[in-house]
Amino acid sequence: MLGRKVPSVTFRTRVRDEAVGGSNPYRWQDVSSDDYFAGKRVILFSLPGAFTPTCSTYQLPDFEKLTPEFRALGVDEIYCISVNDAFVMNAWGKSQGLENVKLIPDGSGEFTRKMGMLVAKDNLGFGMRSWRYAAVVNNGVVEQWFEEEGYCDNCDSDPYGVSSPQNILASLRSQKIAA
């Protein structure tokens, strides 16, 4: 994964637009990989699903809280991607009160598949989802890679630790000290 360019895909997102009016003022907007990654150094982390326990209790909230520390180490944006549609991702972001982390809906799993991280989670009733991983991506190129152990279809467990914000922060700090 290191040195690899992230896949070029178009994400179908929903963005708030007051011109739409009504109780659901959102419109569709296509956003490309370049829109997210070009000219920026970002943290991208992926998880099996919005509203799931580990993702909602630890991973997403901790990235949200630690955003200032990531920014101090040269990270421009933090993105969370999941094989969920834009409606689910927007509802999850609202329920989490996000202000820093941006959510990317990979509803069809195209980006996740092209990253080599799409796995079956039929044993949980999820269907195809992302394996848990994170990356530091600099101008669209993977600079650091953090993949949970045990990658496989229908895994009996949901490992979490390697891709935690605390682990990535420690790696970025040690890289800065070494530089």
Side-chain angles (χ1 to χ4, degrees):
M1 292 297 181
L2 293 177
R4 177 178 163 192
K5 189 163 175 42
V6 297
S8 178
V9 303
T10 300
F11 299 95
R12 296 283 292 155
T13 68
R14 300 277 293 166
V15 295
R16 190 170 186 87
D17 183 346
E18 296 305 326
V20 172
S23 62
N24 190 17
Y26 288 84
R27 64 175 166 75
W28 288 105
Q29 181 170 314
D30 288 349
V31 182
S32 72
S33 295
D34 280 348
D35 293 328
Y36 285 121
F37 300 106
K40 298 178 236 179
R41 186 171 187 229
V42 305
I43 303 287
L44 172 69
F45 69 99
S46 187
L47 38 81
F51 294 104
T52 56
T54 300
C55 309
S56 297
T57 306
Y58 303 106
Q59 196 170 19
L60 182 59
D62 286 354
F63 271 109
E64 177 73 12
K65 286 180 220 155
L66 294 170
T67 297
E69 294 181 52
F70 282 111
R71 289 215 169 110
L73 292 168
V75 171
D76 299 307
E77 298 285 356
I78 299 175
Y79 300 133
C80 172
I81 192 166
S82 182
V83 181
N84 288 113
D85 62 59
F87 297 101
V88 169
M89 293 298 274
N90 283 352
W92 188 39
K94 185 176 181 180
S95 77
Q96 290 281 318
L98 295 181
E99 294 179 13
N100 300 307
V101 175
K102 295 183 174 137
L103 302 178
I104 302 176
D106 187 21
S108 69
E110 180 184 6
F111 184 90
T112 301
R113 179 178 54 79
K114 289 179 176 179
M115 287 292 286
M117 291 286 106
L118 194 65
V119 293
K121 289 201 166 271
D122 298 317
N123 60 326
L124 299 177
F126 284 4
M128 300 305 288
R129 294 297 178 105
S130 181
W131 188 253
R132 197 182 300 274
Y133 72 90
V136 177
V137 180
N138 196 349
N139 194 28
V141 176
V142 176
E143 182 180 290
Q144 292 187 50
W145 183 254
F146 305 87
E147 180 180 331
E148 296 299 336
E149 291 184 16
Y151 171 92
C152 67
D153 287 335
N154 299 307
C155 188
D156 289 337
S157 63
D158 181 22
Y160 176 63
V162 174
S163 65
S164 72
Q166 293 84 356
N167 188 51
I168 296 165
L169 200 55
S171 177
L172 288 171
R173 285 181 178 142
S174 68
Q175 184 183 46
K176 185 176 182 176
I177 291 168

